[in-house]
Amino acid sequence: MAKRISMLTLLMLLLLCLLPTAVSAAETDGADGGLIQLGTPAELTWGRDYDYGAESYREIPGFTSWRRVDPSQNKYRIIIYRKGVDEPVSNIRHSYSANDTSLYFSGTGFIEGYWHENANAPADCNMESGTYYFTVQALGDGTQYSDSDVAVSPEWTYVKPDASLEAPTNLRWNGRESHWDLPEDTTDLGGYMVEYYWNDPETGKAIDVGGSAWFHYNPNFEDPSDYLENYCIQEFGPGQYTFRVRAVSSDITKVCNSPWSEPSPVYNLTEVSSAVDGTLDELLNIYNYNGGELPEEDKAYLKEDLWAQTDTEELDASMAADQDGTATVSRIAALEDLVGGPAGVSVSDDAPEGLTAENISIIGANLNTEGSAAATLNVSAPSKEAVIPELYENTVQFSMKLENVAETSQGQELKVPVKITMPVPAQINPAFLVLLHFHSDGTYEEILFPYIFEREGQTFVSFVVTSFSDFAFAQRSSSVSVSSVDPEAHTVTASVGSVTEGTLVAAVYENGRMTGAAAADIAAGGPKETTLSLPALTESAQVKLFLLDGGGAPLCNSAGTP
């Protein structure tokens, strides 16, 4: 929602306007202060599912595809329209890996239909019959590259079939894994969509905490499943979690996607954490018989009992949900004190600047060693430089390994999760910080940080992991760019990268003098698109966007046109 902004903010914007020149509302060629304009996607086509890295494809109704045109940063906006309907029916931003050199890209936005964040939304989320077209735009970083022109596809007429797949049944949890039954007939099954919810105890409402979707489901896989990720638990903590599932059609011209299933039973993380804490308390009562460090023999017995009586996944969930470290994490620390205290930390000379043995700590490592052996956390340069996807910037790569902890082909898999606290590299804005955890197969897990704190002028983060390999601190793109400028409606629509919270400000000025401004709050979450009303906007006016953090400090600024 647009809002008025204070005189202080306006004065600050006047100073910011000394930065590179804004873009005129009348400009249509995509030029942006000398930036290189990305190539306009070509060969927009309906119904082609291109193979990764190849020019071959399968014909599957509803797929959208396009040809990459250099220069490209492998980030695109795909918007689907139905003729006769003013608003888009689907608006998706998608980033491909920076090292993906595919000539063609494909998307499933039309096939998936409508996503609904509201658990009580209408069950039928399939696209309606009608004539459709889609647009694709290559998105620039606003620093070196500006967005491409918008490419428009041919039209495609879709007739919605009467038949639908049946909604998945027998939803159940196995720990944090979500499961449901495979249908008896998988002929028309193309995949699944999954949404997770946290039940707010104050309002009783189910709050969307994330989800996933995939196509080309293998019908021979007899136990379809998904997983409730740590970042959901870290943000919302203990409580009751549910999920729902939707079956996706392999041919939407033949049969529609299923309705959303009924909600699953509850995964009660409060009860799980309570049981885990009870087991840890029992071990503390047994082994804390002399109020201090145990004899060497009993150290081994304590670890063996801990491994036998606890489940790694439940420990991981309970430690992640312990937002302030006073519940499960404090008990793990107390048990570790009985076997000699926390592990030592060693930082090599080739480790990233700013990481020292004194500003890194780890809880739980010494509960993973055999017998009475002591662990050491070794921090160094990565074993090999990883290719970082384009949606991250200011990347700081490093490796972490535990000395005296067994290693497998999958890296160091821990029986007891560990909680690590370390400083945020100076070049990374904490508001956009993520940790990338690389696996042996080249894939990576993105660890988010809902809780970041200051200590003696330094920003720190804490996170829970169950394995060790190569890592990278990274900053999610915080770019802000103009999606469209409409002088007749006096509006500007802006696209904002992932941001914790902040304020989007649009300034209008002519001949170097500001003539108007408007602002809108940006909520936590993924990419957003916001439209601001600017009465002063005319054909000859100029527009510039600013993204401010929660304290009013500028994070970035940009201007551009589709």
Side-chain angles (χ1 to χ4, degrees):
M1 179 179 293
K3 63 180 183 181
R4 297 180 64 86
I5 55 180
S6 67
M7 182 59 67
L8 179 62
T9 302
L10 288 172
L11 291 174
M12 183 186 71
L13 286 172
L14 287 171
L15 295 175
L16 289 173
C17 285
L18 297 175
L19 296 168
T21 306
V23 169
S24 168
E27 291 182 356
T28 58
D29 62 358
D32 184 10
L35 301 185
I36 301 170
Q37 186 176 25
L38 295 178
T40 304
E43 297 180 31
L44 277 64
T45 309
W46 286 98
R48 293 182 179 180
D49 174 21
Y50 280 91
D51 295 325
Y52 175 79
E55 297 182 35
S56 58
Y57 62 85
R58 285 159 290 190
E59 293 185 359
I60 301 180
F63 263 87
T64 56
S65 63
W66 61 95
R67 178 170 62 83
R68 166 200 177 111
V69 175
D70 289 328
S72 171
Q73 291 197 299
N74 281 9
K75 181 185 289 185
Y76 296 92
R77 181 191 302 280
I78 306 99
I79 302 178
I80 301 174
Y81 298 89
R82 178 154 56 100
K83 293 187 69 174
V85 179
D86 293 335
E87 296 297 321
V89 297
S90 176
N91 188 334
I92 298 172
R93 290 165 57 103
H94 190 80
S95 295
Y96 298 86
S97 297
N99 62 338
D100 189 343
T101 58
S102 298
L103 183 60
Y104 291 91
F105 294 109
S106 298
T108 58
F110 187 93
I111 295 174
E112 292 170 0
Y114 304 103
W115 280 82
H116 286 286
E117 294 183 357
N118 181 356
N120 298 316
D124 185 3
C125 303
N126 296 287
M127 297 293 192
E128 297 298 325
S129 296
T131 299
Y132 290 84
Y133 66 95
F134 67 94
T135 64
V136 181
Q137 182 180 29
L139 302 180
D141 55 15
T143 302
Q144 184 178 2
Y145 295 96
S146 63
D147 299 344
S148 76
D149 291 331
V150 176
V152 182
S153 78
E155 295 179 353
W156 176 57
T157 298
Y158 170 67
V159 178
K160 180 181 177 181
D162 294 330
S164 297
L165 296 175
E166 293 186 0
T169 58
N170 193 24
L171 275 62
R172 59 200 183 277
W173 293 94
N174 181 9
R176 286 160 61 185
E177 288 185 352
S178 53
H179 293 258
W180 54 94
D181 282 355
L182 192 72
E184 292 184 8
D185 183 3
T186 61
T187 304
D188 299 316
L189 179 63
Y192 285 106
M193 302 168 67
V194 187
E195 286 184 345
Y196 294 94
Y197 296 89
W198 177 75
N199 298 326
D200 188 335
E202 294 185 2
T203 65
K205 294 182 179 180
I207 298 175
D208 179 22
V209 299
S212 59
W214 62 92
F215 198 76
H216 294 163
Y217 175 77
N218 180 1
N220 295 320
F221 184 58
E222 296 181 356
D223 185 15
S225 64
D226 202 73
Y227 192 76
L228 178 64
E229 298 290 349
N230 252 18
Y231 73 86
C232 301
I233 293 174
Q234 287 174 325
E235 180 172 1
F236 289 90
Q240 297 183 346
Y241 292 82
T242 58
F243 71 96
R244 64 176 184 169
V245 190
R246 186 179 183 213
V248 178
S249 170
S250 61
D251 185 346
I252 57 172
T253 64
K254 178 181 177 182
V255 59
C256 288
N257 300 333
S258 80
W260 285 102
S261 70
E262 292 298 318
S264 72
V266 166
Y267 171 65
N268 195 323
L269 184 52
T270 299
E271 292 183 355
V272 171
S273 296
S274 178
V276 167
D277 291 346
T279 299
L280 300 182
D281 285 338
E282 289 178 7
L283 291 172
L284 284 168
N285 290 333
I286 293 171
Y287 284 97
N288 193 20
Y289 52 79
N290 62 2
E293 188 173 340
L294 293 169
E296 298 299 305
E297 185 178 58
D298 282 354
K299 292 180 182 179
Y301 290 146
L302 185 155
K303 295 175 188 178
E304 291 170 2
D305 284 346
L306 176 62
W307 300 340
Q309 296 179 34
T310 58
D311 177 83
T312 302
E313 186 178 87
E314 291 182 351
L315 275 173
D316 181 38
S318 298
M319 292 175 69
D322 184 8
Q323 298 168 341
D324 58 7
T326 60
T328 307
V329 173
S330 66
R331 290 168 168 84
I332 290 294
L335 287 169
E336 191 173 31
D337 285 341
L338 298 179
V339 299
V345 178
S346 172
V347 178
S348 66
D349 292 338
D350 61 1
E353 183 179 357
L355 299 182
T356 68
E358 292 71 32
N359 62 20
I360 299 174
S361 63
I362 182 170
I363 297 173
N366 272 329
L367 295 173
N368 286 281
T369 60
E370 297 287 343
S372 60
T376 299
L377 176 64
N378 294 321
V379 182
S380 63
S383 57
K384 62 179 180 179
E385 290 289 325
V387 177
I388 305 297
E390 173 270 335
L391 68 161
Y392 304 108
E393 56 193 17
N394 296 342
T395 309
V396 178
Q397 299 189 42
F398 60 100
S399 176
M400 290 194 296
K401 287 190 176 180
L402 284 171
E403 186 179 327
N404 288 330
V405 173
E407 189 165 356
T408 70
S409 59
Q410 302 300 317
Q412 289 182 310
E413 302 286 341
L414 306 182
K415 297 176 182 177
V416 178
V418 297
K419 183 173 184 177
I420 299 171
T421 299
M422 60 196 316
V424 177
Q427 65 267 44
I428 293 182
N429 185 332
F432 302 93
L433 175 69
V434 297
L435 180 71
L436 306 181
H437 185 181
F438 293 92
H439 302 296
S440 57
D441 61 359
T443 62
Y444 67 91
E445 169 192 4
E446 183 184 85
I447 300 174
L448 305 182
F449 298 101
Y451 305 100
I452 301 174
F453 62 94
E454 298 285 333
R455 187 170 68 201
E456 297 179 354
Q458 171 68 57
T459 303
F460 285 83
V461 292
S462 294
F463 52 96
V464 177
V465 293
T466 57
S467 63
F468 280 92
S469 56
D470 289 342
F471 295 80
F473 279 124
Q475 180 175 313
R476 267 193 172 275
S477 173
S478 58
S479 61
V480 56
S481 59
V482 174
S483 297
S484 64
V485 177
D486 189 341
E488 293 184 2
H490 304 291
T491 61
V492 57
T493 300
S495 169
V496 181
S498 180
V499 61
T500 301
E501 63 176 12
T503 302
L504 173 68
V505 179
V508 182
Y509 57 100
E510 296 193 40
N511 300 320
R513 183 177 66 86
M514 183 182 295
T515 58
D521 289 328
I522 302 299
K528 302 290 182 183
E529 190 163 83
T530 302
T531 298
L532 296 175
S533 177
L534 295 165
L537 182 61
T538 64
E539 285 285 349
S540 60
Q542 294 177 310
V543 179
K544 192 152 189 175
L545 299 176
F546 305 90
L547 183 60
L548 314 178
D549 67 14
L555 295 170
C556 60
N557 65 88
S558 183
T561 61

